[in-house]
Amino acid sequence: MDRYIRSLFYLQNNFTFIYKAFRSKITLMDKTPSEKLIFDYSKPKALQLKISGDWQLSAGLPLVSEVLTQLDSHKDIAELSFVVSRDFKWDSAFISFLFKLSRVCKEKNILLDAQGLPEKVEKLLPLIPAQSEKIISRKVSEEPLLESIGSRVIGVKDAAFSVLNFLGDIVLAFKRFVCGRAFFRKDDFFVILQRCGVDALGLVSLITVLVGMILAFIGAIQLKMFGAQIYIADIVGIAMVRVMGAVMTGVLMSGRTGASFAAELGIMQSNEEIDALKTLGVSPAEFLVLPRVLALVIMMPLLTIYADLMGIIGGFAISIGVLGLNPIEYFNHTVTAVKVSNLWLGLIHGFVFGIIIAVSGCYRGMRCERSSAGVGEATTSAVVTAITSIVIATAIITFVCQIIGV
Amino acid sequence: MDAVIEVKDLDLAYDDFVVMNGINFSVKKGEIFIVMGGSGCGKSTLLKAMIGLNPPHKGKVLYNGLSFWDEDERSRQDIMCRFGVLYQGGALWSSLTLRENVALPLQLYSNLSASQIQDMAAFKLGLVGLGGYADFYPAELSGGMKKRAGLARAIALDPEFIFFDEPSAGLDPLSAKMLDDLILDLRDNLGATIVVVTHELASIFAVGDNAILLDADTKTVIAQGAPKDLLANSKDPRVISFLTRGEKQGAGR
């Protein structure tokens, strides 16, 4: 995220000169930077800077390097003084120029005589604390390659322990919940249940109906060659109920609910709301994480059944409306093809995905850095983690089903 | 001296909820003007109407005679370029370093070269005592440092008007004093006109040339004048109570 903001930041730099040129049309009549600064060597071993015109931010001003070049070519200069003209206008841009010039003079052991400058300028110069010259290290050091690899490996180990710890907290919170000892607000739970259930129905309907239609179209192209178009009902039914309904719902819920969990908890983390819970002796795992995990674990299998049905309706609509199949025959084929075991498998997928999405969202939110960029990163990584884990879990479940012959 | 900011018959509201009504005051050039009042009385809402974030329900805000909210979008933008605002929490852009935070307004609105912009950013950071922290990100700073960095960004373009929203809130006494001194320096040396929204009494008496006191009950201005004069001469128990932290007349109202 940072990288993109930074790219935009630098891209914008390149375009601003057009805007600046437009804004500064009034100042185009002003002297050019080199005309504003004239070098006078009339006194021996001294350089007098004759300053005139507009030295304000909006007008632009000469570079200190121009003075530096003069000083380099006249090694005998021991004093630098100023004369300003009547039309001289200045703001802090001139002070900044002067500040840098004073550093150059200090380095070259040249006396800077500020008497010729306006009184206010002389007053502003000492305002800059000496601290400004001391650069404070950010403690960012470049690691050698091997050390960097080692750090990453240790980082993976730490992350794995951190996830296990988090899962352990959830299990303990669940145990306390079952025993009726968890600090768990039912109102919060029902609100979350509604947000990740009923509120998601519209989106789930739209996407899974379309997926059902796509499956029907793809199946039709192949099956038409064998005159077996009626088997579209089998393909759509089995695919949706067995895996596609659950996977599509999982992906949608990762982007919708998982991201929302991460952002919500991340902002709570950066606002110190989670610290406030801890100091009250309330476990964030019980109060914040458990309601979200339970809500999603309950709603995901239900949404999966709903998604299966919507997908079958989508396939049915295409098969009947576009491909001209017999509706009764299509219905019978679907009922025959879709076994109860397929339905159970879909529900298991939904249940597992519910855990994955809720845990990813809550984990990333709870481990969020205390800044707005941190919340963005937490949200992104919650979605990426959830979708990747869903694909991996689907592969594992499919592989296991193949072995046990389901 | 002529007024450079004038607030005339200003009513502030969120939908149907009236926050303040009939606000009138003016700020002279180079003055440090304090908007004071208790928490939740509408100080920040007034500030938002003055800096162009929330339009008022009714009334005018004039800058050098130009009615801000009656101008078109382009003219308003031009007026806003003359504002520097220090928000309560600093409001620094978290993905940019302090140097980049201060440099951004300079890149947009100045005609300096890239190296001069870097020098200017370093100079402004130096002015608020953060010269060595130019490469730090906001998340790596304390609350007081964030405010000072926010001030460096606010003064990046040498604004004609500087607005401070609760500058000393959450700061230790020394940092608050340093910020008060900076406000005075900015007025004295850069000639800026400054509006400070605060309820910190120490800051009010340290920097304020003139002030208004907003009252949440009557939803209007109940006192206007120099803070020290108000304390010495006001007969209104609400004013005395506020300026003495309830220790004198009007306490326990």
Side-chain angles (χ1 to χ4, degrees), chain B residues 24-200:
Chain B
N24 282 291
F25 64 89
S26 57
V27 185
K28 290 173 188 159
K29 186 172 170 53
E31 190 173 65
I32 298 178
F33 191 89
I34 312 281
V35 176
M36 48 189 190
S39 298
C41 73
K43 301 187 298 289
S44 295
T45 311
L46 170 61
L47 183 75
K48 282 178 183 170
M50 292 179 76
I51 60 176
L53 291 181
N54 283 351
H57 188 62
K58 216 182 81 187
K60 287 178 190 298
V61 181
L62 292 97
Y63 291 96
N64 294 322
L66 282 176
S67 177
F68 181 85
W69 290 105
D70 293 332
E71 294 292 315
D72 60 33
E73 185 73 32
R74 176 83 198 274
S75 310
R76 277 212 295 270
Q77 194 62 44
D78 284 342
I79 297 174
M80 283 165 88
C81 286
R82 285 143 59 195
F83 295 169
V85 185
L86 173 61
Y87 296 93
Q88 257 189 59
L92 296 163
W93 298 301
S94 58
S95 58
L96 306 182
T97 62
L98 298 195
R99 189 197 306 279
E100 290 165 341
N101 261 281
V102 180
L104 190 58
L106 291 164
Q107 283 158 350
L108 283 172
Y109 297 113
S110 81
N111 273 313
L112 303 180
S113 68
S115 70
Q116 284 172 328
I117 285 175
Q118 297 303 310
D119 291 344
M120 271 294 282
F123 168 73
K124 298 282 176 174
L125 285 167
L127 214 56
V128 297
L130 290 175
Y133 294 86
D135 294 323
F136 277 60
Y137 285 91
E140 297 167 323
L141 303 178
S142 69
M145 289 161 94
K146 277 182 195 167
K147 284 209 171 168
R148 281 190 276 151
L151 180 56
R153 189 182 66 187
I155 60 170
L157 293 168
D158 286 2
E160 193 179 339
F161 308 104
I162 308 178
F163 298 90
F164 291 81
D165 191 6
E166 306 278 8
S168 13
L171 296 186
D172 64 86
L174 287 177
S175 301
K177 167 81 169 57
M178 189 192 165
L179 210 56
D180 288 345
D181 291 344
L182 267 173
I183 293 172
L184 289 168
D185 281 341
L186 289 172
R187 190 269 306 270
D188 295 342
N189 299 303
L190 294 180
T193 302
I194 293 171
V195 176
V196 183
V197 167
T198 186
H199 50 211
E200 299 282 334

Side-chain angles (χ1 to χ4, degrees), chain A residues 6-25:
Chain A
R6 199 167 283 278
S7 310
L8 281 174
F9 179 69
Y10 287 113
L11 192 64
Q12 163 262 321
N13 289 350
N14 296 329
F15 284 104
T16 44
F17 76 93
I18 301 169
Y19 180 64
K20 281 181 207 167
F22 173 71
R23 285 187 66 84
S24 64
K25 57 186 185 293

Side-chain angles (χ1 to χ4, degrees), chain A residues 171-184:
Chain A
V171 171
L172 287 175
F174 184 68
K175 189 188 131 201
R176 286 174 66 83
F177 170 71
V178 171
C179 299
R181 286 187 288 128
F183 190 75
F184 185 92

Side-chain angles (χ1 to χ4, degrees), chain B residues 10-25:
Chain B
L10 202 71
D11 287 4
L12 304 167
Y14 289 114
D15 297 324
D16 293 335
F17 178 71
V18 177
V19 181
M20 279 280 140
N21 54 52
I23 303 174
N24 282 291
F25 64 89

